[in-house]
Amino acid sequence: MARRDNGVTTPEQPPGGRSAGLRMVRQTLRTAAYGLPVVALLIAWETFARSGAVTMFILPPASAVAERIWADAAAGDLWRNILTTMYRAFSGFLLGSLIGVAIGIGISRNALARWFFDPIISIGFPMPKVAFLPVIILWLGVFDVSKIAMVTIEVLFPVVTATVIGLQGVNRSVIWSARNLGASQRQLLWHVMIPAAFPQIFTGIQVALPIALIVAVFTEMAMGGYGLGASMMSASRLADSRGVFAGIVAIALVGYCVVKLMGLLRRRVLIWHAEAVMPSTV
Amino acid sequence: MTEENAQIVVHGVSQVYRPPAGREVLALSDVSLEVQGREFIALLGPSGCGKSTLLYLIGGFLPTQQGSIRVDGKPVSGPGPDRGIVFQDFALFPWKTVRANVLYGLERMDLSRHERERRAQSFIDMVGLGGFEDSYPSQLSGGMKQRAAIARTLAIDPTILLMDEPFGALDSQTRRLMQSELLSIWQRTPKTVIFVTHDVQEAVFLAGRVAVMSARPGCIKAIVETQFDKADPHLLKSPDFVNKVDEIWNLVRDEAIVAQTARHP
Ligand SMILES: Nc1ncnc2c1ncn2[C@@H]1O[C@H](COP(=O)(O)OP(=O)(O)OP(=O)(O)O)[C@@H](O)[C@H]1O
Ligand SMILES: [Mg+2]
């Protein structure tokens, strides 16, 4: 759903030199303030690790971990691992989102689908789906397919739930308007129900995104086969504590970027939504 | 007026709302009303007396529980573009721009692209939203949303117009302009209008008949003829007009008091 964003009619005053400079200073300060707690945490980590209270093996200093990440990046290992994990996380994420939206639409429109899926979703949602990992390994092996399947299953639940809630919440008179203007049942779904529920559906998909990353890393830890999770486990087995911490930091960075990008995408896609102009932290 | 030649015949209609939680509400009780083709009828009544409900029933959005509603001789079985409705809460599509909102109904009609665009633009201009074609509803004021909704419904040129307090969110100046636009459309094209309002003067000015509804459960308490020469620039100050407004205002006020005491016995 590409939205044109050039349609905002309120003509903005062209920023004058002085106020534009001010705004830039303010923006920089705000960004700095946002990053400050993270910087403080890094400094605390560095000082504590070097204070001698713990050995470098228990907690390598932040600078050493950063060096290690840099070296891994230069050698190409880091990128290979990130790409592998992302491939698994995103495949499962896309698959789970698509199937989840489809099931959600089914539940809210078809009595048979509702009868079938409703209890399964209700029972399955609070369950730790990773408990099925041994079964998945038995059925699908330990390669990409089983990891992607695990991610897909975990992603399904929040997306289904958000879709059902979103479709249920569509304003009655908006639906009536469309019917009044001549929309058929089919057009009602595609032209009205889904766009109207889209903010909710998108929220479900946003919630599912970090879950996808978490599950991808977890399955890699459990089954091996490259990726960030697997590389951390092998570093741990080799007592390579810097490698383990480098993995944690890399996951954090990747997760942060991906979630931020998703927030940006939301603001682009939901340009019509009143919330689009509000700053978002997700 | 007999049943045969009336365009809209509402006969003995009662409507009960049964919310999943909470108690049942009898919104309409034995409502009967006949509206002739090309008639402009206003519906007045205290808040909560079932005016919107009656429009939803005629529009075919709610199933008739008791009694019958016929339009052009056929029982109403669902919504249709022959009965255009302007909802009290505007009900615009928030993900569509003003232009796309107005175009939506037109796209479902057998029109060339050029004709659709032309018609959408002319109705957008008519309601004074020129320059806001590419705005989303969330970027509009309440009154602007309302005008967009009016343009969207007028654009599909329905033979029956159901308008639920369509000028409620407008300032008095814009309101006057919209009233005369509506009147001129009604005079130019064959349309039957059922117009819900809380403004007695507006009702008497626009309509040929005014139906006053009783407090909930609503029924038609009185129907008053209000034929005036709308071209007369001094109409609003003429004694006949003022007396008529007064007469109807008294009827409405009595019901408002009943509604009030029902809430606070
Ligand atoms: N969906 C609903 N569920 C339960 N009760 C409802 C529902 N809609 C309306 N009602 C009740 O039915 C009665 C009539 O409602 P309606 O909206 O038709 O009134 P109205 O005359 O249009 O009022 P207003 O002038 O305030 O718009 C009200 O008392 C309301 O409580
Ligand atoms: Mg109402």
Side-chain angles (χ1 to χ4, degrees):
Chain A
M1 288 179 36
R3 297 278 160 210
R4 5 195 324 206
D5 59 345
N6 53 351
V8 184
T9 43
T10 44
E12 278 261 299
Q13 287 291 318
R18 200 173 144 240
S19 76
L22 253 170
R23 197 175 313 153
M24 224 153 86
V25 169
R26 203 174 299 146
Q27 185 60 41
T28 315
L29 279 175
R30 200 176 300 145
T31 315
Y34 181 78
L36 211 56
V38 180
V39 174
L41 185 72
L42 287 176
I43 292 173
W45 173 6
E46 183 76 18
T47 349
F48 183 68
R50 291 190 182 280
S51 69
V54 287
T55 62
M56 294 259 183
F57 176 75
I58 299 281
L59 182 68
S63 53
V65 172
E67 247 169 62
R68 173 57 179 272
I69 292 180
W70 187 256
D72 283 352
D77 291 3
L78 180 69
W79 306 118
R80 197 171 319 120
N81 282 332
I82 287 179
L83 282 180
T84 306
T85 304
M86 295 280 266
Y87 160 69
R88 289 164 182 159
F90 267 101
S91 306
F93 171 69
L94 288 179
L95 213 58
S97 298
L98 280 175
I99 300 172
V101 170
I103 293 179
I105 292 171
I107 288 179
S108 50
R109 290 182 65 85
N110 182 292
L112 193 68
R114 179 161 45 247
W115 167 79
F116 184 76
F117 284 112
D118 212 22
I120 294 179
I121 298 293
S122 303
I123 296 170
F125 202 174
M127 262 178 77
K129 266 75 69 183
V130 287
F132 286 104
L133 198 58
V135 182
I136 299 270
I137 292 174
L138 280 180
W139 288 351
L140 300 173
V142 292
F143 303 106
D144 280 355
V145 179
S146 54
K147 297 183 179 101
I148 292 171
M150 205 66 244
V151 174
T152 306
I153 294 170
E154 286 272 12
V155 163
L156 264 180
F157 288 85
V159 174
V160 170
T161 312
T163 305
V164 171
I165 292 174
L167 289 174
Q168 269 169 0
V170 178
N171 203 333
R172 186 181 68 167
S173 55
V174 168
I175 298 173
W176 286 359
S177 273
R179 297 279 284 123
N180 192 234
L181 297 168
S184 64
Q185 283 296 337
R186 194 189 184 79
Q187 290 171 334
L188 201 63
L189 176 67
W190 292 104
H191 295 173
V192 179
M193 300 299 287
I194 291 175
F198 202 67
Q200 287 263 15
I201 296 175
F202 204 98
T203 303
I205 290 175
Q206 272 179 301
V207 168
L209 182 62
I211 296 179
L213 263 183
I214 292 168
V215 175
V217 170
F218 176 81
T219 54
E220 286 166 359
M221 288 176 158
M223 304 186 219
Y226 302 108
L228 290 168
S231 87
M232 280 170 68
M233 280 316 263
S234 48
S236 173
R237 282 199 200 98
L238 297 172
D240 170 14
S241 81
R242 284 182 190 189
V244 173
F245 279 91
I248 292 177
V249 173
I251 290 168
L253 287 175
V254 168
Y256 176 81
C257 294
V258 167
V259 167
K260 273 290 168 199
L261 282 176
M262 199 67 172
L264 286 179
L265 183 67
R266 181 187 181 98
R267 259 176 280 174
R268 272 202 81 78
V269 171
L270 295 178
I271 189 87
W272 55 270
H273 210 258
E275 80 176 313
V277 290
M278 306 277 275
S280 158
T281 52
V282 251
Chain B
M1 280 166 206
T2 59
E3 281 214 11
E4 289 85 66
N5 58 24
Q7 186 177 28
I8 304 170
V9 180
V10 179
H11 186 75
V13 164
S14 299
Q15 191 73 13
V16 181
Y17 283 107
R18 295 189 179 85
R23 62 191 179 83
E24 294 183 354
V25 177
L26 179 60
L28 294 175
S29 162
D30 195 20
V31 171
S32 294
L33 181 69
E34 282 174 20
V35 184
Q36 304 300 312
R38 300 217 56 168
E39 187 179 354
F40 196 130
I41 186 167
L43 214 51
L44 282 170
S47 178
C49 75
K51 303 181 294 296
S52 297
T53 306
L54 184 56
L55 287 197
Y56 298 159
L57 287 165
I58 297 172
F61 303 108
L62 295 174
T64 314
Q65 294 169 346
Q66 213 184 85
S68 70
I69 299 179
R70 291 172 164 272
V71 172
D72 291 321
K74 288 186 286 291
V76 169
S77 60
D82 59 322
R83 283 151 291 145
I85 186 162
V86 179
F87 287 102
Q88 198 170 358
D89 62 356
F90 324 137
L92 292 167
F93 305 127
W95 57 93
K96 286 181 185 289
T97 61
V98 168
R99 182 189 282 114
N101 263 282
V102 177
L103 277 171
Y104 190 78
L106 295 170
E107 279 158 3
R108 256 130 286 285
M109 295 163 74
D110 197 14
L111 295 171
S112 73
R113 186 194 173 84
H114 178 260
E115 174 61 13
R116 286 200 299 261
E117 307 263 331
R118 195 197 59 76
R119 231 154 109 174
Q121 191 60 50
S122 78
F123 280 99
I124 290 170
D125 290 339
M126 191 209 85
V127 299
L129 283 180
F132 290 91
E133 293 88 350
D134 295 317
S135 297
Y136 290 96
S138 63
Q139 298 163 336
L140 301 179
S141 75
M144 289 160 87
K145 284 184 203 149
Q146 189 154 40
R147 285 181 277 150
I150 293 169
R152 184 177 66 174
T153 304
L154 289 178
I156 60 167
D157 194 24
T159 44
I160 297 174
L161 257 178
L162 308 170
M163 307 184 88
D164 200 348
E165 299 183 38
F167 305 150
L170 305 182
D171 63 278
S172 54
Q173 191 62 35
T174 315
R175 206 178 175 123
R176 285 268 173 277
L177 288 171
M178 295 293 292
Q179 284 171 355
S180 49
E181 283 293 350
L182 178 61
L183 270 185
S184 87
I185 286 177
W186 174 68
Q187 280 154 357
R188 277 202 314 268
T189 56
K191 279 197 199 316
T192 308
V193 185
I194 304 186
F195 188 99
V196 173
T197 177
H198 284 290
D199 183 336
V200 179
Q201 198 194 43
E202 177 175 75
V204 177
F205 175 66
L206 289 175
R209 281 197 303 160
V210 173
V212 179
M213 287 180 70
S214 70
R216 194 171 53 94
C219 60
I220 306 291
K221 179 183 166 175
I223 296 184
V224 185
E225 295 275 337
T226 51
Q227 300 283 1
F228 291 99
D229 173 21
K230 299 181 199 325
D232 177 3
H234 304 294
L235 175 63
L236 298 191
K237 292 194 187 70
S238 76
D240 283 353
F241 184 87
V242 172
N243 286 341
K244 199 55 116 183
V245 171
D246 227 38
E247 175 194 337
I248 293 172
W249 203 83
N250 282 327
L251 287 169
V252 176
R253 191 196 50 191
D254 292 348
E255 289 308 322
I257 291 169
V258 174
Q260 197 67 39
T261 38
R263 272 195 292 275
H264 309 284

